[in-house]
């Protein structure tokens, strides 16, 4: 692959062709050297035609041989073989002859004489910039190769571990089975003292039976082992195919680079112009595919070994010995690393929201304010603080420039619209119908929790209540103080934290409870966040930690605790683009920012 695209395309053409008179060629008068060019007719003409042309078209502008366009293009139109390709439509990105121009491009506003349009392409910013982009794309593909090699090592290790564990258990099962039959044979031998002659025949039959059944059992266990191996290979096939796809990208990029180099070396500007347009389109596809490969996900799995009583009949009757179970992405342990602190004169950070990759919003409960930050790399910059007349509680994103905020004391929901510079453009009020606290927006609806009545309500965007649920199947209150909630990435589940009951509940939009999480190490749960894989992160204010849960609320691990500088965490937000976790704490002037990666 070329390492410096811009510097490699510098050869000039040594081929010089003479332009002929198009008027003579058109009327069958034979070949004549062109000595002039009519700008109005867009035709090259000879000495004779020039003389008649000046008489007939006195107002036409004629360029003599030294001033006329010198980059002659001799390719004929595929649709009109008798016509030279003389024009290029920038609106349609197509070449055209005179007839194509008059018929197919009569409504186009940007069609130009091709040699004139391409006259300065060798020194154009477009060609120079594209060369730089090709260099960067080449570097990205090399980096992708390193990333794939690293992931391949993970795949290889998974295969080796699963295969080794499976083989080890197979040997153990077979050895156990054989040992039990040997025990039977030994017991039988001890009883042969008085009836040795009679029992010899029976012993021989038993040995034969044990041998036959042993072979059958070995075949059954061996088949189960083979199925596991096939499952391991099949699970990793999609990822391994990415390696082949990456090699294809490398080959395609090399071929495109060679084509463009050769075209430029020939000095044919029109060909170079067309090739450049084609290569740019193909490179866009290569870049998209490269990005997909870089963000490819490795399917995790584990070998599940069934617990079988070590008895002959149990082993013979068993039909399954192993299973290859996929590990849901949300159940994989995350690693966190402290990145930086956002410092501000906070009093009580009640909620956080990532509005975009570079914009973080924080609600300060006691200061009755919305604080807006821009985040650039690892540095933070305070933008502004919007004051309110009452204390805000929950916040959710409606669009890139609109959020919804609950005001518990006022029993009100406010829709706040921002300009590009994050100045507030408009505030619309929606009745909260009670002491509304937690809020989330999904599928053009708001999901709102009420911490005094212990209920969950679903609103339309206009503020109409669509659904409401708060009782369990026995008619008892399901929640006491459901202060916060969030929505799963696929918009199918609602997660609610109840700080009084120390629980997190997962329920559907129909109100069906799917799971409830309760743990001795989670006390006073507060705001929740989810990542793109469905992992749920919940603040434990009184337990001074952040729990990571799977999508079905199975405990994965305690992700963050006091050792990370977390004291009484109340608010949390996750940024998918930067893989960052933002944690706000009660009565703290800091928001701690962590990088999150898969373990």
């Amino acid at each position: 692959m070329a390492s410096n695209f811009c510097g490699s395309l510098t050869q000039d053409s040594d081929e010089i062709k003479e332009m002929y008179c198009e008027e003579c060629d058109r009327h069958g008068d034979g070949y004549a050297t062109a000595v002039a060019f009519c700008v109005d007719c867009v035709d090259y003409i000879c000495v004779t035609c020039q003389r008649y042309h000046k008489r007939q078209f006195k107002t036409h502008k004629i360029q003599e041989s030294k001033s006329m366009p010198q980059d002659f293009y001799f390719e004929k139109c595929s649709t009109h073989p008798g016509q030279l390709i003389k024009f290029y439509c920038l609106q349609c990105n197509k070449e055209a002859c005179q007839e194509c121009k008059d018929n197919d491009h009569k409504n186009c506003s940007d069609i130009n004489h091709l040699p004139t349009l391409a006259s300065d392409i060798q020194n154009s910013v477009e060609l120079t910039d594209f060369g730089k982009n090709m260099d960067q794309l080449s570097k990205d593909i090399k980096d992708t190769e390193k990333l794939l090699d690293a992931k391949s090592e993970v795949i290889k290790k998974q295969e080796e571990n699963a295969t080794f564990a499976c083989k080890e258990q197979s040997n153990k099962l077979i050895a156990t089975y054989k040992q039990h039959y040997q025990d039977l044979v030994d017991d039988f031998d001890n009883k042969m003292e008085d009836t040795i002659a009679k029992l010899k025949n029976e012993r021989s039959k038993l040995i034969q039976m044990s041998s036959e059944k042993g072979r059958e059992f070995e075949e059954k266990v061996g088949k189960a082992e083979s199925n596991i191996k096939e499952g391991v290979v099949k699970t990793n096939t999609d990822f391994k195919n990415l390696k082949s796809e990456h090699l294809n990208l490398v080959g395609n990029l090399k071929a495109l680079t060679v084509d463009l180099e050769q075209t430029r070396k020939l000095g044919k500007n029109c060909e170079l112009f067309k090739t450049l347009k084609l290569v740019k389109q193909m490179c866009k596809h290569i870049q998209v595919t490269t990005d997909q490969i870089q963000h490819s996900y490795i399917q995790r799995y584990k070998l599940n070994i069934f617990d079988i009583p070590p008895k002959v009949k149990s082993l013979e009757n068993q039909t399954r010995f192993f299973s290859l179970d996929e590990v849901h992405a949300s159940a994989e342990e995350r690693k966190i690393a402290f990145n930086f602190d956002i410092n501000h004169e906070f009093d009580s950070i009640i909620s956080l929201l990532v509005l975009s990759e570079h914009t973080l919003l924080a609600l300060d409960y006691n200061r009755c304010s919305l604080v807006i930050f821009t985040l650039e790399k690892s540095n933070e910059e305070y933008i502004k603080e919007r004051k309110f007349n009452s204390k805000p509680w929950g916040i959710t994103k409606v669009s890139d420039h609109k959020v919804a905020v609950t005001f518990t004391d006022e029993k009100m929901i406010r829709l706040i619209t921002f300009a590009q510079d994050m100045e507030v453009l408009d505030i619309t009020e929606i009745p909260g119908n009670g002491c509304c606290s937690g809020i989330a927006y999904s599928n053009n609806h708001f999901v709102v929790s009420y911490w005094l009545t212990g209920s969950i309500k679903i609103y339309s965007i206009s503020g109409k209540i669509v659904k409401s649920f708060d009782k369990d199947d026995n008619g008892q209150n399901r929640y006491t103080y459901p202060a916060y909630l969030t929505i799963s990435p696929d918009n199918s589940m609602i997660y609610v934290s109840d700080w009084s009951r120390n629980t997190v509940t997962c329920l559907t939009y129909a109100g069906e409870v799917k799971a409830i999480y309760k743990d001795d190490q989670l006390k006073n749960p507060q705001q929740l966040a989810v990542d793109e894989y469905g992992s749920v992160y919940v603040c434990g204010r009184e337990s001074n930690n952040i729990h990571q849960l799977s999508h079905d609320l199975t405990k994965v691990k305690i992700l963050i605790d006091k050792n990370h500088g977390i004291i009484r965490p109340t608010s949390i937000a996750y940024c998918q683009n930067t893989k960052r976790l933002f944690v706000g704490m009660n009565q703290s002037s800091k928001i701690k920012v962590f990088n999150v990666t898969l373990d």
Side-chain angles (χ1 to χ4, degrees), residues 224-480:
E225 182 182 352
S226 297
N227 291 337
I228 291 297
K229 292 179 179 178
E230 291 175 3
V232 169
V233 173
K234 184 177 180 181
T235 301
N236 296 326
T237 297
D238 290 341
F239 177 80
K240 290 179 179 179
N241 288 339
L242 293 178
K243 292 279 288 185
S244 298
E245 188 171 359
H246 175 259
L247 291 176
N248 290 335
L249 291 180
V250 173
N252 290 341
L253 187 62
K254 286 182 178 179
L256 292 175
T257 304
V258 170
D259 288 346
L260 206 56
E261 286 180 358
Q262 290 178 346
T263 305
R264 184 165 184 176
K265 287 178 180 179
L266 291 174
K268 296 181 179 181
N269 290 347
C270 295
E271 290 288 346
L272 179 60
F273 181 86
K274 293 194 302 177
T275 305
L276 175 61
K277 295 295 183 181
L278 175 62
V279 171
K280 287 180 69 176
Q281 293 177 2
M282 297 183 70
C283 283
K284 288 181 181 178
H285 169 70
I286 293 176
Q287 185 65 66
V288 170
T289 306
T290 298
D291 292 340
Q292 291 174 348
I293 293 176
Q294 288 180 341
H295 294 89
S296 60
Y297 173 72
I298 298 177
Q299 177 61 58
R300 308 280 179 153
Y301 52 84
K302 65 178 180 180
L303 182 69
N304 183 26
I305 301 174
F306 298 152
D307 187 15
I308 306 171
K311 297 181 180 180
V312 172
K313 287 299 180 183
S314 298
L315 294 171
E316 287 181 345
N317 294 332
Q318 187 68 26
T319 57
R320 296 183 66 197
F321 302 96
F322 323 95
S323 68
L324 197 64
D325 299 336
E326 291 186 359
V327 178
H328 192 277
S330 65
E332 296 182 35
E333 292 188 357
R334 303 298 194 267
K335 285 184 178 179
I336 59 101
F338 174 74
N339 194 332
F340 62 93
D341 284 331
I342 298 176
N343 295 291
H344 183 60
E345 294 181 358
F346 294 114
D347 192 323
S348 178
I349 308 174
I350 201 70
S351 291
L352 292 174
L353 172 68
V354 174
L355 188 60
S356 69
E357 180 178 344
H358 301 296
T359 306
L360 176 70
L361 306 183
L363 294 181
D364 194 321
Y365 182 75
N366 289 333
R367 292 168 63 92
C368 301
S369 65
L370 168 65
V371 185
I372 306 169
F373 296 91
T374 55
L375 307 175
E376 298 294 340
K377 296 182 179 179
S378 62
N379 300 319
E380 73 281 354
E381 178 187 350
Y382 165 69
I383 296 182
K384 53 182 65 70
E385 185 171 356
R386 173 74 185 201
K387 291 286 188 177
F388 300 101
N389 294 327
S390 63
K391 298 178 178 180
W393 186 280
I395 186 170
T396 186
K397 178 179 178 179
V398 179
S399 67
D400 288 343
H401 291 88
K402 182 180 288 188
V403 298
V405 179
T406 59
F407 293 81
T408 303
D409 295 341
E410 289 186 288
K411 302 178 181 179
M412 183 70 66
I413 300 172
R414 288 186 171 90
L415 294 177
I416 304 174
T417 304
F418 301 100
Q420 290 290 339
D421 59 357
M422 294 307 293
E423 287 288 345
V424 175
L425 287 180
D426 181 65
I427 298 179
T428 303
E429 295 185 346
I430 299 176
N433 297 300
C435 296
C436 47
S437 52
I439 186 170
Y441 178 76
S442 175
N443 297 324
N444 293 321
H445 288 81
F446 291 111
V447 184
V448 183
S449 64
Y450 295 81
W451 65 278
L452 285 181
T453 59
S455 61
I456 306 293
K457 299 183 188 297
I458 299 179
Y459 289 83
S460 66
I461 192 68
S462 62
K464 180 181 178 181
I465 298 177
V466 178
K467 293 180 182 178
S468 179
F469 31 84
D470 53 9
K471 305 292 184 182
D472 59 22
D473 294 338
N474 298 320
Q476 301 297 318
N477 286 339
R478 183 174 289 158
Y479 313 103
T480 304

Side-chain angles (χ1 to χ4, degrees), residues 497-504 516-520 522-525 542:
S497 64
D498 189 324
W499 74 28
S500 177
R501 299 191 180 189
N502 295 320
T503 59
V504 177
I516 298 176
Y517 176 71
K518 188 176 179 65
D519 188 88
D520 292 340
L522 178 65
K523 296 180 181 179
N524 201 220
E542 299 304 323

Side-chain angles (χ1 to χ4, degrees), residues 9-54:
L9 307 180
T10 58
Q11 299 297 321
D12 293 329
S13 173
D14 57 1
E15 179 183 7
I16 299 176
K17 289 187 178 181
E18 183 180 61
M19 187 59 193
Y20 56 84
C21 177
E22 295 181 71
E23 188 71 18
C24 292
D25 180 68
R26 190 178 299 120
H27 296 287
D29 293 336
Y31 178 88
T33 302
V35 298
F37 176 75
C38 179
V39 176
D40 298 276
C41 298
V42 197
D43 275 341
Y44 289 94
I45 53 181
C46 64
V47 173
T48 304
C49 290
Q50 180 184 10
R51 184 167 56 253
Y52 287 106
H53 199 86
K54 286 183 177 180

Side-chain angles (χ1 to χ4, degrees), residues 501-518:
R501 299 191 180 189
N502 295 320
T503 59
V504 177
T505 303
C506 173
L507 65 154
T508 66
Y509 273 78
E512 178 185 3
V513 174
K514 290 295 185 179
I516 298 176
Y517 176 71
K518 188 176 179 65

